[in-house]
Amino acid sequence: MFNYEIEELFSNFTVDDTIIPVSYLQYGGDKETYIVYTPWNNDNSFSGDDTILGCVVYYDFDVYSKGNYYNIIAQMKDLLTENGWTWQPSKDSSDQFEKDTGMYHKTVCFAKPIQFDMRIPR
């Protein structure tokens, strides 16, 4: 739903003079640091006159790196919140280290409300 917006926001996403690739669902490149984003839930719908008028969509942003990823997460939070997204810290994962890949990994969740145009043509 917001994939186009995310792709635009993260085109040439640069942290500490390094471009960080950002991909939908999976990353197929060879960089040791990257972000994968995934929509995972539509929740908290709001309605009026017995019609759903909108909801909140949630996206997970999984940060993978062989090193410290805290600056990446900080800049990602700044970029998304400046563009109408809300960080959902209660839905974030803990810091993880994946022994099989040797990568650090953290999932950070953001939400954005959407409003439906449910007007009935007359």
Side-chain angles (χ1 to χ4, degrees):
M1 179 166 293
F2 286 104
N3 294 16
Y4 179 77
E5 178 184 349
I6 292 167
E7 295 290 332
E8 287 289 314
L9 288 174
F10 284 97
S11 66
N12 296 309
F13 181 58
T14 304
V15 178
D16 299 329
D17 297 322
T18 301
I19 294 177
I20 309 297
V22 178
S23 299
Y24 177 66
L25 291 178
Q26 65 179 354
Y27 174 68
D30 59 357
K31 301 292 183 190
E32 291 188 348
T33 301
Y34 57 90
I35 298 170
V36 175
Y37 69 93
T38 310
W40 71 270
N41 194 11
N42 295 336
D43 197 6
N44 299 322
S45 62
F46 48 96
S47 61
D49 295 331
D50 296 324
T51 302
I52 294 177
L53 301 174
C55 68
V56 177
V57 296
Y58 295 89
Y59 273 74
D60 279 343
F61 292 81
D62 291 276
V63 180
Y64 295 89
S65 182
K66 294 266 182 173
N68 187 329
Y69 51 75
Y70 292 120
N71 284 346
I72 297 166
I73 290 173
Q75 288 191 34
M76 179 177 64
K77 286 178 184 176
D78 289 346
L79 178 64
L80 287 167
T81 56
E82 288 168 4
N83 286 280
W85 293 77
T86 305
W87 176 39
Q88 304 291 303
S90 65
K91 298 182 184 323
D92 288 358
S93 73
S94 59
D95 294 331
Q96 303 170 60
F97 179 75
E98 299 177 2
K99 289 182 183 180
D100 58 333
T101 62
M103 298 190 82
Y104 296 93
H105 173 205
K106 178 150 181 101
T107 302
V108 184
C109 183
F110 288 86
K112 191 162 192 181
I114 59 171
Q115 199 166 353
F116 303 130
D117 185 3
M118 301 298 288
R119 292 175 287 174
I120 299 171
R122 297 190 189 258

